[in-house]
């Protein structure tokens, strides 16, 4: 193999890895948004509060699974207050 072939292979592999990483990140964001929309039940005020709470948890460096659990707990805690 010559240098050009190796260069093309390396660039292709790097771009494939980058594409996969970007795609996974986008899917994770879509999943987070779907969870927030589901938990809000169509209430725009609750949806914005949940989004703000999610952003605060993400800024604190909390893992996604724990953020989802805390969002569920947050909704359970504020649910009786809405009734």
């Amino acid at each position: 193999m010559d240098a050009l072939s190796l260069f093309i292979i390396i660039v292709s592999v790097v771009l494939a890895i980058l594409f996969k990483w970007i795609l996974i990140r986008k899917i994770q964001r879509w999943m987070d948004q779907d969870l927030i929309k589901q938990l809000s039940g169509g209430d725009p005020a609750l949806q914005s509060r949940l989004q703000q709470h999610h952003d605060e948890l993400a800024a604190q460096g909390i893992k996604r699974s724990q953020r989802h659990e805390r969002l569920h707990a947050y909704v359970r805690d504020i649910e009786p207050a809405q009734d």
Side-chain angles (χ1 to χ4, degrees):
M1 281 194 200
D2 60 345
L4 181 60
S5 297
L6 289 175
F7 175 74
I8 291 172
I9 291 170
I10 291 171
V11 168
S12 298
V13 168
V14 168
L15 289 176
I17 291 171
L18 181 64
F19 176 74
K20 183 177 179 181
W21 182 76
I22 290 171
L23 188 62
I24 287 172
R25 299 290 297 188
K26 276 198 167 294
I27 290 171
Q28 287 175 342
R29 274 190 236 116
W30 291 337
M31 289 169 51
D32 293 342
Q33 292 302 314
D34 283 346
L35 176 66
I36 290 170
K37 287 178 185 178
Q38 177 190 11
L39 291 175
S40 70
D43 182 10
L46 180 57
Q47 184 174 345
S48 69
R49 286 195 323 223
L50 285 171
Q51 182 65 48
Q52 182 182 11
H53 190 61
H54 179 267
D55 293 340
E56 290 170 1
L57 293 172
Q60 294 172 5
I62 297 173
K63 294 183 180 184
R64 284 186 69 241
S65 59
Q66 292 176 346
R67 283 193 308 243
H68 289 186
E69 290 172 8
R70 290 188 184 188
L71 284 175
H72 282 284
Y74 181 74
V75 169
R76 279 193 305 269
D77 291 344
I78 63 171
E79 222 170 47
Q82 291 179 350
D83 292 340

